[in-house]
């Protein structure tokens, strides 16, 4: 349905290019903050004070910084779940659904085998989460590889199905005696260990390792080369004997598995319990991040970090400035709009 | 199970299906011109909150409806600026618009959470007014419900029987060719998005001003995405969309019926039926081009300079 070519930047970064990119994005973010400031000002809040709040609450203290990292972790994984398929022009809009299915299966593991020690249970839950996510990605991948249905449509539709399946299990079978909309708290052995006495959990390490592996595979292995070939010209790749169909299905499943892992990390690390409708768009945000970052590992890391600052800064705005929490979505959207619209002054800079 | 309960279910299906159908019609216009609007959820939320707020302030539901419709059109113009003028990726822009809608609607609607409004007045069906009150109260619909089928036919007429519609579909199939035959793809896409936004605004207005008559955050609960599914299901055809919307809201009605007759099926599983049905239909169509998706759906028109 969509040519994703423009999302895939050519590999081989020059340092100057990276610096230019950083400067450009910084300009864009400043512009977004200006726009949001105007809205704040119109609605009678003090924009400068609000921004001070956002930055002092996120970057000003160790605790605030750790909260930014906590917000960033699932975004890294979901963005990776989009970025990997995007390398062979697969558009995975279904991370949201894959995340839910991963969380669903991982929760089943946690509730059924809750007595097992952590060193068995956690890998088991991770595996289950990855299976859940990749199952949810297998269907679109298979349908795409056989040329039946475009993966954009199917992943989008399956997104809406997954949360309902999760709700079905929670309300029907798993709900705790007290609440109907969530499971009982997981046993301690089903919780991902936290790091440095903060809410940062092990999944951060996992995400960073996976990003590095992704970078390594794309740069130094045969698989990466073949994926680049498919991304460049699927026809030519097929004629050169690359098993394009197998790549389409398996890469989609890998993307799904990583999204499923993000779901597992959310329930096991962040919440410690499976809530109905817990995600509220983490998967969609992952899609946007991957798209903005052009699918590059370093770009994903930077973009997720900036977006996490905005998101977790929003928490404080709600408390001190008497704004609904969802308002931070406006600032987020302004940032995205500005980046998507690529304002003119940036293009002129490029020419110079 | 009584006749009354069946009628009640039917009536509630009509209420919940109306906003869906308006939104779907809007998305059909968008997609016929070659633009996928994934931000519908956000567009609807902003329209619903703006319409509700104005109704609460002015006490006039028709004024609220008007504001809601205009808000929908304006929201879609944001998308138009990004994807038409700035040539941004449509999926990403749509999702950004969705997040924008989440935030903006919460902001607009916040003072009005729990506010009481006088909703769109409900008018009884002619000829049914001499029925017992119990029955006739079920079939008192508001203006928007009576208008939804004529609007669907109007949209069909606009798309398939006018020069404007011909140009719009031409742009959706191949913008370069449309340009070569003297049409302005950029302008047509803006018009399509604006018209689509107006209709999405109508759907949202029905939701907040006529149906639920209150405002809560995320009140659309996935209707925007259902509409996108419905567009595919109805093969980008406004008349088929009527059937699709009936089917979708029929699933809701069916679920209520089952519950009232004591059969226990999880409502969540029933809610998945429309999506799974759409996927099955897509699989049955297979890779053939018969399903009439606009050929350049989602493509960026680069211009011919």
């Amino acid at each position: 349905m969509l040519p994703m070519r423009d999302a895939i930047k050519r590999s081989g970064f020059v340092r100057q290019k990276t610096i230019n990119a950083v400067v450009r994005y910084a300009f864009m973010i400043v512009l977004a903050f200006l726009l949001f400031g105007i809205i704040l000002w119109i609605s009678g809040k003090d924009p400068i004070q609000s921004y001070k709040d956002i930055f002092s609450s996120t970057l000003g203290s160790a605790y605030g910084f750790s909260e930014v990292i906590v917000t960033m972790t699932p975004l890294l994984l979901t963005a990776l779940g989009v970025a990997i398929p995007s390398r062979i022009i697969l558009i995975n809009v279904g991370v949201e659904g894959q995340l839910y299915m991963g969380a669903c299966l991982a929760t089943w593991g946690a509730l059924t085998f809750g007595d097992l020690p952590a060193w068995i249970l956690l890998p088991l839950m991770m595996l289950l989460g990855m299976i859940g996510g990749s199952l949810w990605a297998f269907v679109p991948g298979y349908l795409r590889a056989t040329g039946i249905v475009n993966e954009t449509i199917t992943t989008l539709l399956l997104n809406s199905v997954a949360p309902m399946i999760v709700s079905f299990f929670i309300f029907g079978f798993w709900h705790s005696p007290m609440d109907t909309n969530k499971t009982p708290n997981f046993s301690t052995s089903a919780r991902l260990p936290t790091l440095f006495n903060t809410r940062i959990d092990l999944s951060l390490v996992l995400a960073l390792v996976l990003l590095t592996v992704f970078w390594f595979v794309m740069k130094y292995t045969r698989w990466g080369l073949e994926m680049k070939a498919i991304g460049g010209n699927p026809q030519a790749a097929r004629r050169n004997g690359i098993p394009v169909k197998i790549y389409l299905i398996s890469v989609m499943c890998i993307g799904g598995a990583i999204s499923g892992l993000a779901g597992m990390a959310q329930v096991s690390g962040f919440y410690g319990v499976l809530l109905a409708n817990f995600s509220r768009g983490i998967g969609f945000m992952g899609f946007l991040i991957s798209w903005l970052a052009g699918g590059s590992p370093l770009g994903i890391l930077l973009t997720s970090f900036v977006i996490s600052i905005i998101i977790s800064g929003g928490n404080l705005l709600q408390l001190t400035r008497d704004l609904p929490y969802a308002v931070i979505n406006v600032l987020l959207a302004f940032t995205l709009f500005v980046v998507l619209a690529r304002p003119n002054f940036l293009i002129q800079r490029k020419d110079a | 199970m009584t006749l009354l309960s069946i009628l009640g279910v039917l009536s509630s299906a009509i209420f919940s299906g109306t906003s869906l159908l308006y939104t779907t019609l809007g998305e059909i216009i968008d997609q016929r011109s070659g633009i996928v609007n994934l931000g519908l959820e956000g567009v609807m939320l902003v329209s619903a909150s703006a319409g509700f707020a104005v109704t609460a302030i002015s006490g006039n539901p028709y004024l609220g409806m008007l504001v809601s419709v205009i808000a929908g059109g304006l929201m879609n113009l944001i998308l138009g600026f990004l994807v038409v003028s700035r040539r941004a990726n449509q999926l990403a822009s749509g999702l950004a618009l969705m997040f924008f809608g989440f935030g903006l609607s919460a902001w607009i609607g916040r003072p009005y959470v729990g506010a009481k409004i006088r909703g769109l007045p409900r008018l009884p069906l002619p000829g049914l007014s001499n029925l017992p009150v119990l029955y006739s109260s079920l079939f008192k619909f508001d203006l928007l419900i009576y208008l939804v089928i004529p609007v669907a036919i109007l949209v069909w007429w606009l798309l398939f029987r006018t020069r404007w519609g011909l140009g719009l579909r031409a742009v959706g199939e191949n913008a370069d060719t449309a340009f070569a035959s003297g049409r302005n793809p950029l302008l047509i896409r803006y018009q399509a998005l604006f018209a689509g936004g107006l209709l999405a605004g109508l759907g949202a207005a029905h939701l907040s001003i006529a149906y639920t008559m209150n405002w809560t955050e995320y009140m659309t609960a996935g209707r925007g995405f259902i509409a996108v599914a419905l567009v595919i299901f109805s093969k980008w055809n406004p008349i088929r969309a009527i059937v699709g919307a009936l089917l979708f809201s029929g699933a809701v009605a069916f679920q209520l019926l089952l519950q009232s007759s004591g059969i226990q099926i999880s409502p969540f599983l029933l809610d998945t039926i429309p999506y799974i049905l759409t996927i099955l239909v897509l699989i049955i169509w297979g890779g053939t081009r018969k399903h009439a998706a606009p050929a350049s759906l989602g493509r960026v028109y680069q211009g011919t300079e």
Side-chain angles (χ1 to χ4, degrees), chain A residues 1-2 291 322 326 329 341-342, chain B residues 86 89 91 99 103 110 297-298:
Chain A
M1 193 154 90
L2 299 165
W291 192 87
D322 187 38
N329 281 323
R342 293 167 296 179
Chain B
R86 306 304 313 169
N89 176 293
L91 295 181
F99 283 108
R110 190 177 194 200
L297 190 62

Side-chain angles (χ1 to χ4, degrees), chain A residues 1-4 6-7 36 39-40 43 45 91 93 139 143 147-149 152-154 156-158 160-165 167-168 171 280-282 284-285 287-288 291 318 322-330 332-334 336-338 340-344 347, chain B residues 36 38 78 81-82 86-107 110 217-218 222 225-226 228-230 232 236 266-272 275-276 278-279 282-288 291 295-300:
Chain A
M1 193 154 90
L2 299 165
M4 199 63 177
D6 48 350
F36 187 68
I39 286 206
L40 279 174
S43 69
K45 319 280 176 196
I91 303 168
V93 206
V139 179
L143 290 175
I148 298 175
V149 192
T152 317
I153 298 175
T154 38
L156 197 61
L157 291 172
L158 285 173
S160 311
V161 177
M164 292 174 193
I165 291 178
S167 298
F168 166 69
F171 285 87
R280 284 274 158 88
I282 296 175
F284 291 122
M285 196 51 80
F287 181 87
L288 281 166
W291 192 87
Q318 175 192 18
D322 187 38
L323 289 165
Y325 172 62
V327 161
I328 207 60
N329 281 323
V330 176
L332 209 54
F334 275 143
L336 298 169
F337 284 162
V338 172
L340 286 163
R342 293 167 296 179
N344 274 330
I347 292 162
Chain B
V36 187
L38 281 192
I78 298 178
F81 175 71
L82 292 174
R86 306 304 313 169
R87 296 169 199 168
N89 176 293
Q90 295 184 2
L91 295 181
S93 309
L95 290 177
L97 189 70
M98 178 180 87
F99 283 108
F100 181 61
F102 283 171
L104 189 62
S105 64
W107 205 336
R110 190 177 194 200
E217 271 184 44
Y218 305 107
F225 286 111
I226 297 182
V228 175
L230 258 177
I232 302 160
W236 292 267
S266 168
F268 299 110
L269 288 190
L270 282 167
D271 281 345
T272 64
Y275 300 102
I276 292 174
T278 309
I279 293 176
L282 282 170
I283 293 173
I284 291 166
W285 288 342
T288 60
H291 53 72
S296 60
L297 190 62
R299 300 234 175 94
V300 176

Side-chain angles (χ1 to χ4, degrees), chain B residues 47-105:
Chain B
S47 288
S49 61
F52 186 82
V54 169
T55 312
I57 295 168
S58 68
N60 185 344
Y62 292 103
L63 193 64
M65 199 171 93
L66 187 71
V67 168
S68 178
V69 167
I70 293 169
L74 291 180
M75 280 292 282
N76 262 10
L77 285 187
I78 298 178
L79 185 74
F81 175 71
L82 292 174
V83 302
V84 179
S85 297
R86 306 304 313 169
R87 296 169 199 168
N89 176 293
Q90 295 184 2
L91 295 181
S93 309
L95 290 177
L97 189 70
M98 178 180 87
F99 283 108
F100 181 61
F102 283 171
L104 189 62
S105 64

Side-chain angles (χ1 to χ4, degrees), chain B residues 90-137:
Chain B
Q90 295 184 2
L91 295 181
S93 309
L95 290 177
L97 189 70
M98 178 180 87
F99 283 108
F100 181 61
F102 283 171
L104 189 62
S105 64
W107 205 336
I108 296 173
R110 190 177 194 200
Y112 305 100
V113 173
K116 293 263 185 299
I117 59 160
R118 196 167 58 85
L120 278 182
R122 298 191 176 170
L123 319 159
L125 274 174
L128 284 181
S129 48
N130 46 5
L131 280 175
V133 180
L134 211 50
Y135 289 89
S136 65
S137 66

Side-chain angles (χ1 to χ4, degrees), chain B residues 25 45 66 90-91 95 103 114 116 135 140 150 152 155 166 172 194 204 208 237-238 260 266 298:
Chain B
L25 292 172
L45 280 168
L66 187 71
Q90 295 184 2
L91 295 181
L95 290 177
K116 293 263 185 299
Y135 289 89
K140 279 168 105 171
V155 169
L166 183 69
F194 189 66
S208 71
N237 184 327
S260 66
S266 168

Side-chain angles (χ1 to χ4, degrees), chain B residues 28-41:
Chain B
I28 287 178
I29 300 182
D30 295 349
Q31 294 207 4
R32 276 283 177 184
S33 78
I35 290 173
V36 187
N37 182 359
L38 281 192
L40 267 189
E41 192 81 10

